[in-house]
Amino acid sequence: GAVVSQHPSWVICKSGTSVKIECRSLDFQATTMFWYRQFPKQSLMLMATSNEGSKATYEQGVEKDKFLINHASLTLSTLTVTSAHPEDSSFYICSARARTDTQYFGPGTRLTVL
Amino acid sequence: GENVEQHPSTLSVQEGDSAVIKCTYSDSASNYFPWYKQELGKRPQLIIDIRSNVGEKKDQRIAVTLNKTAKHFSLHITETQPEDSAVYFCAASQGFQKLVFGTGTRLLVSP
């Protein structure tokens, strides 16, 4: 149980394009999903917290107009990186939580912006 | 807000030795402390967690201890094996609030 999937696992795009990443909880209803970014050899940096049916809460310094988050159902949240630039290249990981404090992580999406 | 410090940043041990990773937190209201193991390019995997109503929890070769007074918690791995090599992250949160992660410890277990 508690399986979280993420799609795509990797993506390469040109600078200026937008990329959408999906995060799904496969066997439980996720009341809350989190989006993290992880640079090489660094810790996980929380970008935003997403509650089903409401607007995401962004961490300080994260541009909400650049990183669009939608949590339309209890099993799906999406992160759209708009007008991506090389500095947005990173490993993006989602996590999901049901009505407990335990978070389960997706496998991550490696984004490379050329 | 919460701040979590983790030490050491790297840890090298021989197979069969024990490994200890320590974390301190700043917010006395934090009550949930998970540990995650992350292999290169993979997702963080929950290996053990502890809540503030207990002082120690054990699962086979892995144990976690919590000292609420001192606001620190530790991960103990006994009889280490090469497959234990990975980056380990501690984290802390208050109930259903967001997790705050430590900076990670790279554990290398040499055969």
Side-chain angles (χ1 to χ4, degrees), chain A residues 35 56 58 63-70 78-82:
Chain A
W35 286 96
Y58 290 82
E63 300 175 58
K64 61 179 181 180
D65 294 330
K66 180 170 182 63
F67 299 99
L68 302 179
I69 291 172
N70 183 280
T78 61
L79 167 67
T80 302
V81 183
T82 63

Side-chain angles (χ1 to χ4, degrees), chain B residues 12-83:
Chain B
S12 294
V13 300
Q14 291 291 120
E15 183 177 2
D17 289 349
S18 294
V20 180
I21 303 171
K22 299 181 179 181
C23 289
T24 60
Y25 60 99
S26 59
D27 189 347
S28 57
S30 290
N31 56 8
Y32 175 61
F33 308 92
W35 285 88
Y36 289 89
K37 174 184 180 182
Q38 187 179 31
E39 297 178 8
L40 189 62
K42 302 275 183 73
R43 79 181 80 199
Q45 289 191 310
L46 179 69
I47 55 172
I48 197 168
D49 57 11
I50 192 168
R51 292 175 175 81
S52 59
N53 56 343
V54 297
E56 184 173 357
K57 184 176 179 180
K58 195 172 183 179
D59 183 4
Q60 299 183 345
R61 297 187 296 111
I62 295 173
V64 58
T65 58
L66 171 65
N67 183 325
K68 287 187 293 183
T69 303
K71 290 189 282 189
H72 66 70
F73 56 112
S74 300
L75 177 71
H76 303 254
I77 306 174
T78 58
E79 299 173 29
T80 54
Q81 301 167 3
E83 50 265 39

Side-chain angles (χ1 to χ4, degrees), chain A residues 43 59 97 101 103 105, chain B residues 36 38 43 51 96 98 102:
Chain A
S43 188
E59 294 298 299
R97 188 186 71 199
D101 47 17
Q103 289 187 30
F105 284 84
Chain B
Y36 289 89
Q38 187 179 31
R43 79 181 80 199
R51 292 175 175 81
F96 291 82
K98 62 186 181 184

